[in-house]
Structure formats: structure tokens, C-alpha cells
């Protein structure tokens, strides 16, 4: 049984656009659109006034100009946003070191351990909002909940300048009316598939019988059902997590081809699992990290029942997370990472039963590790590489 947690999600409102307004008060009341200004450019973000014209992130810039000719169109000043972002994260980390960076303007915090200092979880939420406003002039939205998914949905629900707490016992009611497309794991493809069951809200998914859903989505149906009940045990992953083994790779140019990305992910998985075996460690939580060309970063984790260091077992989870959670878009991928946490020393857990398939995989892993350390990395590769 996992201990009760309190997670906070902080997301800045119309981040790039509001920074531009702070830096230039003359445009404070105008519709401001930030993005690539060339004919092929896309909108990074639009302020809330500009959103009333129907402009939103990822829209072609030419269309945005057509919708709002009187708008203020500005280029992306990445360095400046990073500077402001650092200030914001310094504030967040002064509350707890357990801060996960999702992107320049978005973070998860595990505040479970510091709640003793406050009257309620809302109190640090309010203080953080004030401090960010005082130091940067910017507003943000804060969501608080028993897990990451609920916290994020809670901050989205009350945008802009919101502060919403959803307690464990309130989550069922809270989720009921939320658009199913806001739920983790429901992208365009999945939405198309489940529309036939008239699933438009998370509540609809809660009610949809599992067998029907399984027929359409296979085993993913279990995961989505679990999420619809508001369950999510993914940990807040800090950058300096020592209790994990991970590997990352940055590309010289942004990658968009899913096949290539998968191949890279498999290579990372092999490295990480091999390092686990070298350290005689096994882990239960597998995390995939994807940073896009615009520095938005996303991590997704999945926890399996029994700790492992077997490449095939870890790859199964990585592959699953990539297939179900990542929606390719025009931004491309700059960095990939694979990590394993929730570590323990090998063989600590009593083997209640022996899985013959896992035994075979372990044997194969040992063989490959031996050959690679004898003849050099990459001597032996699994078929997956091809
Ligand atoms: P978001 O938090 O998604 O958007 P936002 O902060 O502009 O607005 P909201 O109030 O709805 O949170 O993204 C943060 C920043 O990341 C955004 O200001 C610009 C950048 N971004 C892109 O460059 N491209 C994109 O497609 C998205 C979604 C964001
Ligand atoms: Mg934001």
C-alpha cells in the first residue's frame, strides 16, 4: 500500500506571452502572439486576449495573422524565458527539493513531507502564487491532489490564476465532467477509438464496461480505467534523484521519426538495464523522458509488481509508455531518457515462483553482458536493433 501523498502542480499562465507583456507594458492590453514569425512558423503561445480570436499553440502563424490582424506578433526569446523560469524554480525549490521540471513553466512538487508546517495544503499553494507574482509579475495556476494526474487536472481546471485542491474523497466527483481528452493517455488516436462508446468525459469512461473497452484497446483498457478512477502512483522525479539509474541522449538535430526514436529508446534501455545488472540492482519504476525541440519536457512512469533488471522486461514498459503516452507533433524530439527507480539490491525479494520466460531472458542478458564486456560494447546486439 502506497502512503497517502499530496502533490502540487504549478503551471504559468500564457507563459511566453505574459513575459513579453511584463517586459513591455505598452502591449499589456493587446492580443499578444509569440512564435515563429516566418510563413512556415507556428504559434508557441497566445495570451488570453488573443485566445478569444481562436488562436492557440501549434497553429500556423499565417492563420493566426488572418484571425487577428491587429495582434502583436513577437518572436520567441528563449534565453529570457529560461531566466524567468529559473527564478520561478528557485522559489519552488525553497518549499521542497522534491520538484520535477516538466517544462520551463510547469512543475510537479511532492509536498507530502512539508505539510506539517502549514494549516492546509492550500496555504503553501497560495504563498507560492504570491511569491511568484511579487518576484516576476506573473500569475500561475496551482492544482493540489493525491497524485500527479489529479494535481495537473486541478490546475488546468482553474486557469488562469487558479488555486484548486481536490482531496482523495473528492476525486470521483471532480473527474466526472472533465473532458476525456484532458486525461493522460488519451490522445487523438485513442479518442477516435473510444468515441464510438460515446465517451466524452472521464465519467463516461468510468461507466464504460471494461470488456467492451478491452476489445478496442487491449490491455491499455486497464490502464485507462485505472486513471479514470483517479489512480496514479507515478512518483515526482527530481533531476538529482540518486536512487535511480538512468541514461539520456541529446541529438544534434530534432528527431521526428517514431521508428528512429524507438531504436534510440531501446539502446538507452539496454544501457540502463546493463548498468543495473552491473550494480546488482533491480527496480520497479520505469520512467521515460522526452524533451521536445521547444524544451517542453515530459516524463511518464509506470511501476511494475516485481523488481527487475532484465532488458526485455524494462523494454516492455518503455515501449508501452512511448506508444501510449507520446503524441508525435511538429516540434520534434531533442532528448530522450530512460530511468529505473524504486531500486533494491538484487534477490532481496523472496522468489515466490520462478517465471521460466524471465529465467531465459536473464540467461540471455548475462550472455550478452559477458560477450560485450569481453569484446567491447555493441559486439552483440539483440534483434530489436534491426
Ligand atoms: P503551456 O503551459 O502549455 O501554455 P501557456 O503557459 O502559454 O498557457 P496556459 O495558461 O494555458 O498554461 O506551455 C508553456 C509555454 O511553452 C508556452 O508559453 C509556450 C511554449 N509552448 C510552445 O512553444 N509550443 C507549444 O505547442 C506549447 C503547448 C507550448
Ligand atoms: Mg502554462
Amino acid at each position: 500500500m502506497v502512503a497517502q501523498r499530496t502533490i502540487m502542480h504549478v503551471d504559468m499562465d500564457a507563459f511566453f506571452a505574459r513575459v513579453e507583456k511584463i517586459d513591455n507594458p505598452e502591449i499589456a492590453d493587446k492580443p499578444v502572439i509569440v512564435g515563429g514569425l516566418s510563413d512556415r512558423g507556428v504559434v508557441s503561445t497566445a495570451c488570453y486576449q488573443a485566445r478569444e480570436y481562436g488562436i492557440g499553440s501549434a497553429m500556423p502563424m499565417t492563420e493566426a495573422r488572418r484571425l487577428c490582424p491587429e495582434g502583436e506578433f513577437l518572436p520567441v526569446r528563449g534565453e529570457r524565458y529560461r531566466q524567468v523560469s529559473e527564478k520561478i524554480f528557485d522559489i519552488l525549490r525553497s518549499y521542497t527539493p522534491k520538484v520535477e521540471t516538466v517544462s520551463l513553466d510547469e512543475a510537479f512538487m511532492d509536498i507530502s513531507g512539508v505539510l506539517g508546517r502549514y494549516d492546509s495544503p492550500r496555504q503553501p499553494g497560495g504563498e507560492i502564487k504570491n511569491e511568484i507574482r511579487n518576484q516576476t509579475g506573473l500569475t500561475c495556476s496551482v492544482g493540489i491532489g493525491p497524485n500527479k494526474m489529479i494535481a495537473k487536472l486541478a490546475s488546468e481546471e482553474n486557469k488562469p490564476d487558479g488555486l484548486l485542491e481536490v482531496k482523495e474523497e473528492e476525486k470521483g466527483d471532480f473527474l466526472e465532467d472533465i473532458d476525456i481528452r484532458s486525461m493522460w493517455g488519451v490522445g487523438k488516436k485513442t479518442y477516435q477509438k473510444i468515441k464510438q462508446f460515446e465517451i466524452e468525459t472521464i465519467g463516461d469512461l468510468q461507466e464504460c464496461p471494461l470488456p467492451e473497452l478491452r476489445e478496442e484497446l487491449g490491455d491499455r483498457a486497464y490502464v485507462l480505467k485505472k486513471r479514470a478512477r483517479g489512480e496514479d502512483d507515478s512518483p515526482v522525479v527530481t533531476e538529482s534523484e540518486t536512487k535511480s539509474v538512468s541514461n539520456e541522449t541529446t541529438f544534434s538535430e530534432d528527431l521526428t521519426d517514431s521508428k528512429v526514436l524507438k531504436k534510440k529508446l531501446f539502446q538507452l534501455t539496454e544501457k540502463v538495464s546493463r548498468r543495473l545488472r552491473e550494480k546488482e540492482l533491480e527496480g520497479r519504476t520505469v520512467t521515460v523522458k522526452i524533451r521536445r525541440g521547444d524544451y517542453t519536457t515530459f516524463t511518464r512512469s509506470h511501476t511494475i509488481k516485481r523488481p527487475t533488471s532484465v532488458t526485455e522486461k524494462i523494454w516492455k514498459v518503455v515501449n508501452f509508455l512511448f506508444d501510449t503516452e507520446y503524441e508525435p507533433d511538429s516540434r520534434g524530439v531533442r532528448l530522450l531518457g530512460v530511468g529505473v527507480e524504486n531500486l533494491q539490491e538484487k534477490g532481496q525479494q523472496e522468489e515466490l515462483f520462478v517465471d521460466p520466460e524471465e529465467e531465459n531472458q536473464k540467461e540471455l542478458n548475462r550472455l550478452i553482458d559477458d560477450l560485450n564486456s569481453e569484446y567491447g560494447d555493441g559486439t552483440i546486439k539483440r534483434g530489436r536493433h534491426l
Side-chain angles (χ1 to χ4, degrees), residues 9-16 45 48 51 103-106 139-141 159:
H9 181 256
V10 180
D11 190 311
M12 303 305 296
D13 302 322
F15 185 51
F16 293 3
T45 196
Y48 282 78
R51 288 182 201 188
S103 71
L104 286 181
D105 91 319
E106 184 183 346
T139 63
C140 63
S141 297
K159 256 185 175 300

Side-chain angles (χ1 to χ4, degrees), residues 166-363:
V166 177
K167 298 203 169 79
E168 172 71 25
E169 61 273 21
E170 297 165 343
K171 68 186 187 186
D173 284 345
F174 169 71
L175 291 173
E176 205 173 306
D177 295 326
I178 289 184
D179 191 323
I180 191 66
R181 283 167 292 188
S182 306
M183 198 176 86
W184 279 356
V186 181
K188 287 193 200 81
K189 269 187 270 168
T190 308
Y191 178 64
Q192 284 310 322
K193 283 187 185 164
I194 59 179
K195 244 170 58 179
Q196 56 174 306
F197 304 120
E198 291 178 357
I199 296 175
E200 293 294 339
T201 64
I202 298 183
D204 295 339
L205 177 60
Q206 282 173 354
E207 272 162 32
C208 180
L210 182 65
E212 277 178 33
L213 212 56
R214 262 205 78 185
E215 215 150 285
E216 190 59 46
L217 298 173
D219 286 347
R220 279 194 63 209
Y222 293 107
V223 180
L224 293 185
K225 272 294 215 183
K226 201 175 148 198
R227 294 229 173 104
R229 289 196 300 271
E231 291 169 31
D232 163 34
D233 56 10
S234 56
V236 170
V237 187
T238 60
E239 298 279 330
S240 60
E241 205 73 78
T242 47
K243 289 199 147 169
S244 75
V245 171
S246 63
N247 249 301
E248 291 184 358
T249 174
T250 306
F251 311 116
S252 49
E253 55 186 47
D254 297 350
L255 300 181
T256 47
D257 185 344
S258 287
K259 270 204 196 111
V260 178
L261 289 169
K262 268 205 180 176
K263 190 173 149 186
K264 302 276 180 200
L265 276 175
F266 185 74
Q267 290 166 351
L268 287 168
T269 304
E270 274 202 307
K271 272 194 200 156
V272 165
S273 14
R274 186 167 166 209
R275 275 176 54 211
L276 283 172
R277 295 193 291 270
E278 279 168 5
K279 294 174 187 239
E280 306 217 313
L281 292 170
E282 294 180 328
R284 287 180 53 217
T285 302
V286 179
T287 301
V288 173
K289 176 169 168 182
I290 301 177
R291 176 165 292 155
R292 298 197 181 90
D294 62 358
Y295 278 90
T296 54
T297 307
F298 114 173
T299 65
R300 288 285 188 280
S301 310
H302 180 76
T303 302
I304 51 177
K305 281 214 177 65
R306 297 170 60 216
T308 187
S309 60
V310 170
T311 307
E312 285 76 6
K313 295 256 159 181
I314 297 171
W315 172 243
K316 219 171 147 179
V317 181
V318 170
N319 194 31
F320 169 80
L321 287 171
F322 185 78
D323 281 346
T324 56
E325 303 287 352
Y326 175 65
E327 287 258 329
D329 62 25
S330 59
R331 281 176 282 174
V333 171
R334 174 156 308 169
L335 172 150
L336 285 175
V338 170
V340 177
E341 293 159 274
N342 251 325
L343 302 180
Q344 60 180 60
E345 274 162 37
K346 193 179 137 195
Q348 226 185 53
Q349 206 177 41
E350 188 110 21
E351 296 276 326
L352 291 178
F353 64 98
V354 175
D355 174 356
E357 188 203 1
E358 186 168 353
E359 285 309 304
N360 281 338
Q361 288 167 341
K362 275 186 181 163
E363 192 58 43

